[in-house]
C-alpha cells in the first residue's frame, strides 16, 4: 500500500507532496501538466527505474543539479520509507528506512541494495513491476502488436516463467564448466605410476650418497689431526727465517748510517773554521745597518708627499667637472619650473569635464535595464507565437485538439484556427512595437558611450598632467639642493688649491735619495750575512757534540746485530724448512679435495631430497585428482538429469498452470470492458488470444481499435491480478483510442472492481464522477502543482 509521495525538482515538479489512499486514486489534468511524472516518480522511488527510455539525468528539473523522490509504503503491518536522489555529476544515492519504536531507522543504504530489499519485501521483481503493474502511456497494446514468436518470450517474462529458461542455460554453463574441469583433472592425474618408480630410484641414491659422505667426513678428521703439528713446526721455521733476514737488513742499514754520520762530522769541522773569517767582515760594515734605516725613512717621506700632491690634483680636476655639471643641471631645472602655471590652468578645465562622467553612467545603466527587460519580453512573445503555430499545425495536419489530443468537429477546428490566428497577429504587433523601442534605446546607449569615452580620455589626460606637475614640484626641491651643492664644491676647490701650494717636494729629490739608498743597502747586506754566520758558531759546536754521540750508539748497535744473527743461524736449517713446507702443502691439498667431495655430496643430497619432495607433492596432487575425477563424473550425470527434467517437465507444467489462471481472469475482465457480447475469451501458452463473440471466432487482428485496446487492457489486468493478487495497479492514460462508450465501460469497471490500490492518470474529466480520491494537476509558470484534491461522488 503506497501512502505518501514527495518529489523535489522531479521533471516539471518543484516541490510536490501527495497523500495516496486505498482503492481508486485518479490524477486529472491537461496534456503536459505533469501527471505521468507522478507514476514515474513512484516507479523511480521503488526501484530506481522508469518504464520509458528516459535517462536518469533527464528526470532532473531544468536549472537544477539534483532531484529527490521519497515514498512511504506499507507491507503487511510494517511501514517503510524509501528515498532516492539523482545528481548530474555524482552516483545515485538511495536509503530504506523502517518505522520501529515510533521512529524511522535506516535498514539499507545503496541503490542496488535498496532495490533488492524492496523486491524481497513486495515479492515482485523490478522488471515484473514495470511490465505488469505499471502500464505506462502507449504501452497497453504493445504486447498484442508483438510478433507471435517474441510474444511468447514476453508472456513468459511477465508470468515469471522465463526464470526456468535462464536456470536451464545457467545449468548448461555449469555443465560445460564441470566438463572442462574434468578434462583438466584427468590430465593432472596421468603419470601416477611413473612418479612412483622415480621415487624408489631417488630414495636408493640418497642412501648411497649418505654412506659415502660419512666416509669422507672421517677422512677429513684424520687429515686435520696430521696437519696441525706440521703447521706449528713450519711457523717456527718461518719466524727464524724472518728474524735472520730482518737482522741482516738492520746490519746493512746501520753500516750506511755510520758512513753518513762520519761525513756530517767532517762538514761541521769545515763550517766552524769559516766562522772566524766572518767576524772581521762584520766589524768593518756594521755602521751601514743604522744608516740604511735612516735613508729608507727619508725616501718614504718624499714618496708620500709626491703621492699626496698627485691625489689632490686629481681630486681638484674632478670637483671642477662636477661643478660644471651642477651648473648645467641648475639652468635646465629653472627652465622647466616656468611651465607650472600653464599646467595648473589646464587641470581646472579637465575637472569640469570629469564632473559629467558619473551622470552619463547612471543614465546608461537605466537605459540598459529597460533594454534587458524588453529582450526578455521579446523571448516570451516568440515562444507564444511558436505555440500558436504548433496548435495550427496540429489542427491542420492531425485534426486533434491541442489540449486533449482528441479528434474535434470541423466547426470547432475553424473556431480554434481563427482564435489562434488572432492571437498570433496581436503577438506580431507587439514584437514590431518592441523592435522600435529597442532601436531608440540602443541609439541612446551609443550616444552615452561616446560621452563616457570622451570623459575617460579627459581622465587619462588629467592624470598625465598631474604627474608632470608633481615632477616639476619635486624639481624645485632638487634645484635648491643643487645650489647648495655648488656652494660646497666651490669651498672644496679653494681648500685643494691652498693645500697644493704647501707641497715643495719633487720627483728629482726622490730619485737622488733612491740612488743613495741602493749604495748603503749593499754594504748593510754584507754586514748582515757576516752576523748570521757568527750567530751559527754556537749551534755548530752543539751539533758536533750530538753527531759524535750518535756515532758511538751506531757502533754499539752493530755489535748487537752481529751477535743475534750468529745465534739464530745456529737454530735455522733451510733444507728442513723446505721439506716441512712441501708436506704441509700436500696435506692442505688433500684436505681441500676431501672438503670439495663433501660439499658436492651434500649438494647432490639436497637436490635429490628436493626432487623427492616435488615427486611426493605431485603424487599427492595426482591422487587427489583421481578422487576429483570420480566426483566430477557424478556431478555431470546429476546436472544432465536436472536439466532434462527442468525443460521437459517442470517448465511446461508451470506455464500451463499460469496461463490457465491468467486466461480465466482475462475472460472475466474482457467481458466487463468490451461493448460486444463475448461468448468466450482465452489465452494459449504462446500468448495468442482467442475470442468468440456472437457465436463466431474473432481473430485479434480483426478487432476494432477500441476492442483491441479493451483486450490489451484486460490482458494487463489479468496478468497483474494473477501476480499481485489485486494489490496494486498503475494505469497511464488508459482511455487513449477509446470512444465515449468504451470510456463509460472502463469507468464502470473501475467503479465496481475491487483493487487494494489503483492509481490512474488521465486527462478525461469524466473520471471526476468516480468514487475515488481525485487529484488535480496543472502547470503554472513551468511548474506542475497539485492545486486541489477531493473525494469523488
Amino acid at each position: 500500500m503506497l501512502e505518501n509521495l514527495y518529489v523535489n525538482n522531479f521533471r516539471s515538479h518543484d516541490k510536490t507532496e501527495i497523500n495516496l489512499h486505498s482503492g481508486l486514486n485518479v490524477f486529472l489534468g491537461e496534456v503536459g501538466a505533469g501527471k505521468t511524472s507522478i507514476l514515474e516518480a513512484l516507479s523511480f522511488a521503488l526501484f530506481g527505474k522508469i518504464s520509458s527510455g528516459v535517462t536518469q539525468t533527464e528526470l532532473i528539473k531544468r536549472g537544477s543539479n539534483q532531484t529527490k523522490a521519497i515514498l512511504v509504503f506499507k507491507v503487511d503491518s510494517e511501514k517503510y520509507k524509501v528515498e532516492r536522489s539523482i545528481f548530474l555529476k555524482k552516483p545515485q544515492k538511495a536509503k530504506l528506512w523502517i518505522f520501529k519504536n515510533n521512529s524511522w531507522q535506516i535498514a539499507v543504504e545503496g541503490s542496488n541494495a535498496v532495490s533488492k530489499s524492496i523486491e524481497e519485501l513486495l515479492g515482485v521483481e523490478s522488471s515484473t513491476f514495470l511490465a505488469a503493474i505499471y502500464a505506462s502511456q502507449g504501452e497497453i497494446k504493445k504486447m498484442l502488436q508483438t510478433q507471435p514468436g517474441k510474444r511468447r518470450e514476453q508472456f513468459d517474462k511477465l508470468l515469471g516463467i522465463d526464470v526456468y529458461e535462464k536456470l536451464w542455460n545457467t545449468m548448461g554453463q555449469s555443465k560445460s564448466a564441470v566438463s572442462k574441469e574434468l578434462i583438466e583433472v584427468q590430465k593432472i592425474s596421468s603419470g601416477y605410476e611413473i612418479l612412483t618408480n622415480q621415487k624408489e630410484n631417488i630414495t636408493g641414491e640418497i642412501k648411497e650418497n649418505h654412506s659415502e659422505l660419512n666416509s669422507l667426513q672421517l677422512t677429513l678428521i684424520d687429515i686435520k689431526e696430521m696437519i696441525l703439528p706440521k703447521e706449528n713446526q713450519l711457523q717456527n721455521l718461518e719466524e727464524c727465517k724472518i728474524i735472520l733476514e730482518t737482522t741482516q737488513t738492520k746490519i746493512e742499514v746501520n753500516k750506511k748510517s755510520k758512513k753518513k754520520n762520519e761525513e756530517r762530522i767532517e762538514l761541521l769541522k769545515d763550517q766552524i773554521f769559516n766562522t772566524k773569517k766572518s767576524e772581521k767582515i762584520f766589524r768593518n760594515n756594521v755602521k751601514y745597518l743604522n744608516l740604511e734605516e735612516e735613508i729608507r725613512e727619508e725616501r718614504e717621506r718624499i714618496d708620500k708627499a709626491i703621492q699626496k700632491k698627485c691625489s689632490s690634483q686629481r681630486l681638484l680636476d674632478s670637483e671642477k667637472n662636477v661643478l660644471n655639471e651642477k651648473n648645467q643641471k641648475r639652468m635646465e631645472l629653472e627652465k622647466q619650473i616656468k611651465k607650472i602655471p600653464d599646467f595648473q590652468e589646464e587641470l581646472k578645465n579637465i575637472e569640469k569635464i570629469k564632473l559629467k562622467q558619473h551622470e552619463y553612467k547612471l543614465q546608461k545603466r537605466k537605459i540598459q535595464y529597460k533594454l534587458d527587460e524588453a529582450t526578455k519580453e521579446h523571448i516570451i512573445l516568440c515562444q507564444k507565437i511558436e505555440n500558436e503555430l504548433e496548435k495550427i499545425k496540429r489542427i491542420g495536419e492531425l485534426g486533434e485538439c491541442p489540449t486533449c489530443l482528441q479528434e474535434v468537429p470541423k466547426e470547432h477546428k475553424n473556431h480554434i484556427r481563427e482564435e489562434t490566428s488572432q492571437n498570433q497577429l496581436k503577438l506580431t504587433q507587439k514584437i514590431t512595437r518592441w523592435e522600435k523601442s529597442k532601436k531608440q534605446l540602443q541609439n541612446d546607449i551609443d550616444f552615452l558611450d561616446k560621452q563616457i569615452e570622451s570623459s575617460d580620455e579627459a581622465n587619462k589626460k588629467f592624470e598625465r598632467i598631474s604627474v608632470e606637475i608633481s615632477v616639476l614640484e619635486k624639481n624645485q626641491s632638487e634645484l635648491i639642493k643643487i645650489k647648495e651643492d655648488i656652494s660646497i664644491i666651490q669651498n672644496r676647490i679653494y681648500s685643494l688649491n691652498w693645500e697644493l701650494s704647501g707641497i715643495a717636494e719633487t720627483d728629482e729629490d726622490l730619485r737622488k735619495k733612491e740612488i743613495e739608498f741602493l749604495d748603503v743597502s749593499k754594504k748593510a747586506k754584507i754586514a748582515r750575512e757576516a752576523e748570521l754566520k757568527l750567530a751559527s758558531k754556537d749551534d755548530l759546536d752543539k751539533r758536533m757534540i750530538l753527531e759524535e754521540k750518535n756515532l758511538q750508539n751506531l757502533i754499539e748497535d752493530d755489535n748487537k746485530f752481529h751477535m743475534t744473527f750468529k745465534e739464530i743461524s745456529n737454530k735455522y736449517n733451510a733444507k728442513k724448512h723446505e721439506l716441512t713446507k712441501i708436506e704441509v702443502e700436500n696435506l692442505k691439498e688433500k684436505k681441500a679435495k676431501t672438503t670439495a667431495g663433501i660439499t658436492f655430496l651434500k649438494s647432490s643430497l639436497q637436490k635429490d631430497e628436493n626432487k623427492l619432495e616435488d615427486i611426493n607433492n605431485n603424487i599427492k596432487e595426482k591422487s587427489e585428482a583421481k578422487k576429483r575425477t570420480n566426483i566430477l563424473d557424478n556431478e555431470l550425470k546429476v546436472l544432465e538429469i536436472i536439466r532434462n527434467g527442468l525443460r521437459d517437465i517442470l517448465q511446461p507444467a508451470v506455464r500451463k498452470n499460469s496461463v490457465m489462471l491468467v486466461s480465466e481472469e482475462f475472460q472475466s475482465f474482457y467481458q466487463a470492458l468490451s461493448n460486444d457480447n463475448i461468448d468466450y475469451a482465452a489465452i494459449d501458452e504462446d500468448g495468442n488470444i482467442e475470442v468468440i463473440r456472437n457465436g463466431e471466432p474473432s481473430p485479434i487482428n480483426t478487432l476494432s481499435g477500441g476492442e483491441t485496446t479493451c483486450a490489451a487492457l484486460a490482458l494487463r489486468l489479468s496478468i497483474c491480478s494473477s501476480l499481485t493478487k489485486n494489490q496494486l495497479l498503475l494505469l497511464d492514460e488508459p482511455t487513449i483510442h477509446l470512444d465515449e462508450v468504451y470510456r463509460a465501460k472502463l469507468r464502470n469497471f473501475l467503479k465496481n472492481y475491487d483493487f487494494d490500490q489503483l492509481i490512474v492518470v488521465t486527462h478525461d474529466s469524466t473520471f471526476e464522477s468516480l468514487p475515488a480520491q481525485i487529484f488535480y494537476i496543472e502547470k503554472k509558470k513551468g511548474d506542475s502543482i497539485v492545486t486541489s484534491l477531493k473525494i469523488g461522488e
Side-chain angles (χ1 to χ4, degrees):
M1 181 70 68
L2 310 180
E3 292 189 347
N4 178 273
L5 173 67
Y6 170 80
V7 291
N8 177 225
N9 294 328
F10 190 91
R11 290 282 201 174
S12 59
H13 290 264
D14 183 15
K15 292 182 180 179
T16 299
E17 185 172 6
I18 300 171
N19 291 317
L20 300 168
H21 298 260
S22 60
L24 183 59
N25 295 263
V26 178
F27 289 85
L28 292 173
E30 293 184 357
V31 175
K35 306 183 300 299
T36 300
S37 299
I38 299 299
L39 300 184
E40 290 177 339
L42 292 172
S43 175
F44 169 69
L46 287 170
F47 301 108
K49 303 175 183 177
I50 60 174
S51 61
S52 59
V54 179
T55 62
Q56 290 191 350
T57 53
E58 291 181 64
L59 301 177
I60 300 175
K61 186 181 178 185
R62 185 176 297 175
S64 302
N65 57 10
Q66 69 177 73
T67 185
K68 181 191 293 185
I70 301 175
L71 178 65
V72 178
F73 61 95
K74 260 187 180 180
V75 178
D76 298 329
S77 59
E78 297 288 347
K79 184 181 285 190
Y80 298 89
K81 179 171 72 172
V82 61
E83 176 182 340
R84 289 185 189 268
S85 299
I86 299 175
F87 305 89
L88 286 177
K89 296 182 179 180
K90 295 181 182 179
Q92 183 186 133
K93 290 185 179 180
K95 293 181 182 179
L96 178 65
W97 285 272
I98 184 171
F99 193 75
K100 281 187 178 181
N101 301 325
N102 297 322
S103 65
W104 289 107
Q105 300 176 12
I106 291 181
V108 182
E109 287 190 73
S111 179
N112 294 333
V114 169
S115 299
K116 187 174 181 181
S117 297
I118 292 177
E119 287 178 347
E120 293 174 355
L121 286 171
L122 301 182
V124 177
E125 293 185 358
S126 60
S127 57
T128 304
F129 177 88
L130 295 174
I133 297 174
Y134 176 17
S136 59
Q137 186 173 344
E139 293 287 320
I140 292 176
K141 293 200 298 181
K142 186 175 180 180
M143 183 174 174
L144 296 182
Q145 297 168 350
T146 308
Q147 294 296 326
K150 291 189 177 180
R151 190 184 301 163
R152 175 165 179 168
E153 286 182 23
Q154 199 171 19
F155 200 51
D156 283 354
K157 185 176 181 181
L158 288 172
L159 296 175
I161 301 171
D162 62 331
V163 70
Y164 297 105
E165 188 66 24
K166 293 177 183 177
L167 187 58
W168 189 84
N169 291 329
T170 303
M171 285 186 173
Q173 294 172 0
S174 300
K175 181 181 175 184
S176 298
V178 171
S179 299
K180 186 177 180 181
E181 185 182 355
L182 179 60
I183 293 170
E184 295 296 328
V185 171
Q186 286 173 342
K187 290 179 181 178
I188 294 171
S189 63
S190 62
Y192 178 80
E193 292 77 9
I194 296 172
L195 288 174
T196 305
N197 294 332
Q198 288 179 354
K199 178 181 177 182
E200 292 176 356
N201 295 333
I202 291 173
T203 304
E205 290 177 4
I206 289 173
K207 289 180 180 179
E208 292 177 0
N209 287 337
H210 271 298
S211 176
E212 187 176 352
L213 178 63
N214 293 333
S215 175
L216 287 174
Q217 286 175 339
L218 293 173
T219 302
L220 183 62
I221 293 170
D222 294 339
I223 291 171
K224 287 180 179 179
E225 290 177 352
M226 292 169 62
I227 202 172
L228 185 59
K230 291 293 182 181
E231 283 181 340
N232 292 335
Q233 185 179 359
L234 180 62
Q235 185 178 359
N236 291 332
L237 291 170
E238 290 283 354
E239 290 175 357
C240 289
K241 183 179 179 182
I242 291 169
I243 292 171
L244 284 173
E245 292 174 351
T246 304
T247 305
Q248 183 67 36
T249 303
K250 287 179 179 180
I251 290 171
E252 294 296 328
V253 170
N254 195 51
K255 184 178 180 180
K256 292 177 181 179
S257 298
K258 279 168 60 180
K259 185 177 180 181
K260 289 181 180 180
N261 189 268
E262 290 171 350
E263 290 174 354
R264 285 198 298 270
I265 289 173
E266 291 299 324
L267 181 61
L268 285 171
K269 287 179 180 180
D270 293 338
Q271 289 176 350
I272 290 170
F273 177 76
N274 290 331
T275 53
K276 293 177 180 179
K277 295 180 181 179
S278 299
E279 185 176 359
K280 183 179 179 180
I281 295 170
F282 177 74
R283 284 197 302 269
N284 293 333
N285 294 285
V286 69
K287 60 183 178 180
Y288 294 108
L289 292 175
N290 294 330
L291 184 60
E292 180 188 32
E293 188 62 30
E294 291 174 1
I295 294 172
R296 181 188 287 112
E297 290 176 359
E298 181 64 17
R299 186 193 62 176
E300 290 176 355
R301 184 188 66 77
I302 294 171
D303 186 45
K304 286 180 181 179
I306 292 171
Q307 288 179 2
K308 185 176 181 182
K309 184 177 181 180
C310 293
S311 176
S312 297
Q313 186 63 48
R314 286 195 299 271
L315 185 59
L316 178 62
D317 295 340
S318 175
E319 291 291 347
K320 287 179 180 179
N321 292 333
V322 172
L323 180 62
N324 292 333
E325 292 175 359
K326 292 286 184 181
N327 283 326
Q328 188 177 358
K329 181 70 173 177
R330 174 180 58 79
M331 289 187 289
E332 290 176 359
L333 291 175
E334 287 174 348
K335 185 177 178 180
Q336 292 176 0
I337 289 169
K338 290 179 181 179
K339 298 179 183 179
I340 292 177
D342 296 336
F343 286 150
Q344 290 175 340
E345 183 63 28
E346 191 172 358
L347 283 180
K348 290 179 182 178
N349 296 330
I350 293 172
E351 284 179 348
K352 293 177 182 179
I353 297 173
K354 285 174 61 179
L355 292 174
K356 294 183 180 181
Q357 184 183 23
H358 181 66
E359 182 180 348
Y360 292 147
K361 288 184 177 179
L362 287 176
Q363 291 178 5
K364 180 185 175 182
R365 196 176 295 120
K366 291 178 182 178
I367 294 171
Q368 186 66 47
Y369 175 76
K370 291 180 181 179
L371 183 61
D372 292 342
E373 291 297 320
T375 303
K376 292 178 183 177
E377 183 181 356
H378 176 258
I379 293 171
I380 295 170
L381 290 173
C382 291
Q383 185 65 42
K384 288 182 178 179
I385 288 175
E386 289 180 5
N387 293 339
E388 295 300 327
L389 290 173
E390 182 64 27
K391 287 182 180 179
I392 292 172
K393 182 180 178 182
R394 182 171 288 279
I395 286 295
E397 296 179 1
L398 304 178
E400 294 180 350
C401 174
T403 303
C404 62
L405 306 181
Q406 302 293 329
E407 186 175 356
V408 297
K410 184 176 181 181
E411 60 274 10
H412 187 46
K413 292 180 185 177
N414 295 332
H415 174 70
I416 292 173
R417 287 194 191 98
E418 183 179 349
E419 182 182 350
T420 305
S421 299
Q422 291 176 359
N423 290 338
Q424 184 182 359
L425 180 60
K426 290 177 183 179
L427 292 171
T428 305
Q429 291 172 353
K430 285 185 180 181
I431 288 176
T432 303
R433 290 195 299 274
W434 173 86
E435 288 175 347
K436 291 180 180 179
S437 174
K438 177 186 176 184
K439 185 175 181 181
Q440 181 60 39
L441 291 172
Q442 189 62 50
N443 291 337
D444 293 343
I445 288 175
D446 293 341
F447 171 74
L448 291 172
D449 283 338
K450 291 179 181 178
Q451 296 300 323
I452 291 170
E453 184 178 356
S454 176
S455 300
D456 291 338
E457 291 295 329
N459 284 336
K460 294 177 182 177
K461 188 174 181 181
F462 181 86
E463 292 174 358
R464 187 171 64 253
I465 293 173
S466 297
V467 171
E468 290 179 0
I469 291 174
S470 176
V471 171
L472 291 175
E473 288 174 349
K474 290 180 180 178
N475 288 345
Q476 285 180 327
S477 301
E478 187 178 355
L479 179 61
I480 295 169
K481 188 175 184 305
I482 287 173
K483 289 180 179 180
E484 292 175 355
D485 292 343
I486 288 172
S487 177
I488 293 169
I489 292 170
Q490 288 174 343
N491 292 333
R492 284 205 297 268
I493 289 173
Y494 175 78
S495 298
L496 288 170
N497 284 326
W498 182 84
E499 185 177 347
L500 284 171
S501 64
I503 300 174
E505 287 80 358
T506 63
D507 292 338
E508 184 63 24
D509 296 334
L510 180 63
R511 189 179 63 79
K512 291 178 180 179
K513 190 58 67 176
E514 189 72 33
I515 293 171
E516 184 181 358
F517 176 74
L518 291 174
D519 184 52
V520 172
S521 293
K522 290 179 181 179
K523 295 178 180 179
K525 182 179 179 181
I526 293 170
R528 278 193 291 273
E529 290 175 353
E531 185 179 16
L532 288 173
K533 290 179 180 180
L534 287 173
S536 64
K537 182 181 179 184
D538 294 337
D539 184 50
L540 291 172
D541 291 337
K542 292 178 182 178
R543 286 171 61 190
M544 176 64 79
I545 294 169
L546 183 61
E547 291 295 338
E548 289 176 346
K549 187 177 180 180
N550 287 339
L551 180 60
Q552 186 63 34
N553 292 334
L554 288 172
I555 293 170
E556 292 176 359
D557 291 339
D558 188 53
N559 294 332
K560 291 179 182 178
F561 292 151
H562 278 88
M563 289 176 64
T564 303
F565 184 80
K566 186 177 180 180
E567 182 181 350
I568 297 300
S569 296
N570 295 331
K571 295 180 180 179
Y572 177 70
N573 188 332
K575 186 176 180 180
K576 184 179 180 181
H577 180 198
E578 191 65 27
L579 291 172
T580 305
K581 187 176 182 180
I582 292 170
E583 289 179 4
V584 169
E585 286 177 355
N586 291 335
L587 288 171
K588 284 182 177 181
E589 184 179 354
K590 190 175 181 181
K591 177 184 175 183
K593 289 181 180 179
T594 306
T595 304
I598 291 171
T599 304
F600 174 76
L601 283 174
K602 285 182 177 179
S603 176
S604 298
L605 281 170
Q606 185 64 42
K607 289 179 182 178
D608 289 342
E609 288 171 355
N610 292 338
K611 190 174 181 180
L612 181 62
E613 184 179 357
D614 292 339
I615 290 172
N616 286 329
N617 292 334
N618 287 334
I619 290 172
K620 183 179 179 181
E621 183 182 1
K622 291 182 182 298
S623 177
E624 291 175 354
K626 278 189 172 184
K627 296 177 183 177
R628 181 64 180 164
T629 300
N630 296 331
I631 294 171
L632 291 174
D633 193 38
N634 292 331
E635 285 182 2
L636 280 175
K637 293 177 182 177
V638 171
L639 279 172
E640 187 62 27
I641 292 170
I642 293 174
R643 286 187 81 217
N644 293 337
L646 188 67
R647 171 165 276 189
D648 299 339
I649 300 172
L650 183 59
Q651 187 178 14
V654 172
R655 180 184 287 110
K656 183 177 181 180
N657 184 53
S658 299
V659 170
M660 183 175 65
L661 292 174
V662 173
S663 184
E664 292 174 358
E665 293 281 348
F666 173 71
Q667 178 168 326
S668 173
F669 286 127
Y670 192 26
Q671 288 173 340
L673 291 171
S674 175
N675 196 35
D676 291 341
N677 295 320
I678 305 301
D679 300 324
Y680 174 76
I683 303 171
D684 63 17
E685 294 183 13
D686 292 327
N688 299 316
I689 296 177
E690 181 184 357
V691 178
I692 297 176
R693 56 180 182 172
N694 300 322
E696 295 182 1
S698 299
I700 194 68
N701 57 1
T702 64
L703 298 178
S704 65
E707 280 296 315
T708 303
T709 301
C710 287
L713 187 58
L715 176 60
R716 180 74 66 157
L717 290 169
S718 61
I719 293 172
C720 181
S721 177
S722 301
L723 291 176
T724 67
K725 299 178 182 176
N726 297 342
Q727 290 177 338
L728 176 66
L729 180 63
L730 311 178
L731 294 177
D732 187 6
E733 296 289 1
T735 62
I736 290 180
H737 308 301
L738 294 180
D739 59 20
E740 183 53 40
V741 175
Y742 281 108
R743 291 183 192 177
K745 294 281 286 183
L746 177 60
R747 287 195 300 273
N748 187 54
F749 170 79
L750 295 176
K751 179 178 179 180
N752 296 321
Y753 195 77
D754 186 22
F755 259 90
D756 290 350
Q757 191 171 36
L758 176 61
I759 299 174
V760 179
V761 164
T762 181
H763 68 280
D764 190 347
S765 59
T766 60
F767 274 65
E768 288 180 325
S769 62
L770 293 176
Q773 187 73 24
I774 306 296
F775 298 88
Y776 295 96
I777 299 180
E778 59 182 344
K779 188 172 281 189
K780 292 182 179 180
K781 295 182 179 180
D783 291 338
S784 297
I785 299 173
V786 180
T787 56
S788 63
L789 55 94
K790 69 163 190 171
I791 302 295
E793 296 298 332

